[in-house]
Amino acid sequence: MSKSFFKHYSSEILDLLKLDNKTILKLEKVKNFLKIVKKNKKKVLIFGNGGSAAIANHFTIDLIKNTKIRCLNFNDSSTLTCLSNDFGYENWVKKSLEYYADKGDMIIIISSSGESKNMTNACKYALKKKFLPLITLTGFKKGNTVSKLGNINFWINSKKYNHVENSHQFLLLSLVDSLAN
């Protein structure tokens, strides 16, 4: 029984990781925006909840180390609990953008469901500012709120958190590797 589970599981993941031409074109666009960020000495700010926060951490470290592009995430407990306590959990990402994002920065929002209120509020705020195009990574329901707000959205056609999150990590780290080579 378990062999068939793992075979099916890996097959589902591999299907999600097959990139169509539309996705490849979007990755190329994001790659070019990342080059602009580096050239203009700007930064990337990336946000996620739970597993998506861990993906944001991994992307941050690899982007800095492998491409020398400045990147920040605000997943440390002190910042998160302070901003959540003072402004509400639904506003901590928006407040982080208010405090740290500058004109010309790139904002990346990761939300598996695409319905997290803190990510939705951050997207709405980001669209009012002069940042580079807002990049979103979502899953679950096509046309979710976050994906509708993003300028460039990577939507994963799955309702399984680990499938969506693994796919998001693959996409983001492929961007790092494409710039590092």
Side-chain angles (χ1 to χ4, degrees):
M1 174 96 118
S2 68
K3 283 184 184 180
S4 64
F5 169 83
F6 293 114
K7 187 170 186 138
H8 180 70
Y9 188 89
S10 67
S11 176
E12 287 178 327
I13 289 285
L14 290 173
D15 286 343
L16 291 172
L17 298 181
K18 289 180 186 166
L19 303 181
D20 60 15
N21 288 336
K22 186 177 176 183
T23 303
I24 291 169
L25 287 173
K26 288 193 286 185
L27 285 167
E28 286 293 335
K29 281 184 185 180
V30 175
K31 178 182 175 180
N32 289 330
F33 283 118
L34 286 166
K35 288 179 181 179
I36 291 168
V37 167
K38 184 175 184 174
K39 179 183 171 207
N40 293 336
K41 297 183 178 21
K42 297 297 180 178
K43 62 191 171 300
V44 175
L45 290 87
I46 184 167
F47 300 90
N49 292 312
S52 295
I55 292 166
N57 284 343
H58 189 165
F59 176 78
T60 299
I61 292 164
D62 282 7
L63 191 68
I64 293 167
K65 181 181 76 166
N66 296 320
T67 70
K68 312 289 188 271
I69 296 173
R70 294 185 307 148
C71 187
L72 301 169
N73 65 71
F74 301 89
N75 298 328
D76 67 280
S77 60
S78 299
T79 301
L80 205 150
T81 56
C82 172
L83 295 177
S84 295
N85 183 63
D86 293 353
F87 304 105
Y89 189 78
E90 68 279 4
N91 291 311
W92 80 266
V93 178
K94 176 184 167 217
K95 293 309 269 185
S96 295
L97 290 174
E98 287 177 20
Y99 292 140
Y100 294 100
D102 299 309
K103 179 180 176 183
D105 286 346
M106 176 185 277
I107 311 303
I108 302 175
I109 301 292
I110 311 169
S111 174
S112 292
S113 70
E115 300 299 339
S116 299
K117 193 70 173 159
N118 58 350
M119 298 303 161
T120 301
N121 289 341
C123 288
K124 290 176 183 175
Y125 174 81
L127 290 173
K128 295 177 187 175
K129 299 297 175 182
K130 294 189 179 188
F131 303 128
L132 291 177
L134 174 62
I135 312 303
T136 61
L137 294 96
T138 65
F140 291 41
K141 187 179 100 186
K142 190 168 181 126
N144 59 65
T145 304
V146 168
S147 70
K148 288 180 185 176
L149 294 169
N151 300 116
I152 301 173
N153 182 63
F154 295 95
W155 174 71
I156 304 302
N157 187 12
S158 177
K159 290 185 168 98
K160 296 178 180 176
Y161 273 102
N162 284 334
H163 285 14
V164 172
E165 290 172 349
N166 282 321
S167 299
H168 288 165
Q169 177 134 347
F170 172 82
L171 292 170
L172 289 167
L173 295 182
S174 73
L175 285 164
V176 172
D177 288 343
S178 74
L179 289 163
N181 291 326

